[in-house]
Amino acid sequence: MSIKPQHYDLIKKPVITEKATMAQENNAFVFQVAMDATKPQIKEAVENIFSVKVKAVNTTITKGKAKKFRGRAGERSDKKKAYVTLEAGNSIDVSTGL
């Protein structure tokens, strides 16, 4: 297995929130991914980048909502998150970055 440049295009950044940190206790890690990324592509990218074995991938899409920015109407962009569950004995240190 080799790391391909498109793997870094799929996985944008790890999500560091209270909920994501609690998921790490169950060996699940959360990443923001590209909107067109599929579960098999996400699994392959995580396995190659971090050298771990992935058990399951679940994805969610958060729709962007209308907000006001400095009094002007604007729209937040849509986001896709991947919850990646690892096999027992594998771990990722998300604090070091991609």
Side-chain angles (χ1 to χ4, degrees):
M1 292 186 178
S2 64
I3 299 174
K4 299 176 184 171
Q6 51 269 39
H7 290 158
Y8 288 103
D9 294 335
L10 289 178
I11 298 183
K12 295 183 178 179
K13 62 182 179 180
V15 177
I16 310 296
T17 60
E18 187 174 356
K19 185 176 179 180
T21 305
M22 291 184 60
Q24 290 179 11
E25 295 173 7
N26 297 324
N27 223 16
F29 297 86
V30 186
F31 297 98
Q32 185 175 336
V33 296
M35 287 296 288
D36 58 349
T38 63
K39 290 181 183 183
Q41 290 173 334
I42 295 167
K43 178 179 179 179
E44 179 186 350
V46 171
E47 285 180 344
N48 287 329
I49 292 171
F50 297 105
S51 301
V52 294
K53 188 73 179 147
V54 174
K55 183 176 181 181
V57 177
N58 295 322
T59 58
T60 63
I61 295 177
T62 304
K63 300 290 184 187
K65 56 185 182 179
K67 295 294 255 181
K68 289 196 176 202
F69 298 103
R70 295 186 180 170
R72 296 182 181 197
E75 181 100 6
R76 286 188 184 167
S77 57
D78 297 346
K79 292 182 172 70
K80 185 172 191 175
K81 290 192 289 187
Y83 291 82
V84 180
T85 306
L86 304 180
E87 295 280 353
N90 290 298
S91 182
I92 295 174
D93 184 14
V94 293
S95 62
T96 59
L98 293 177

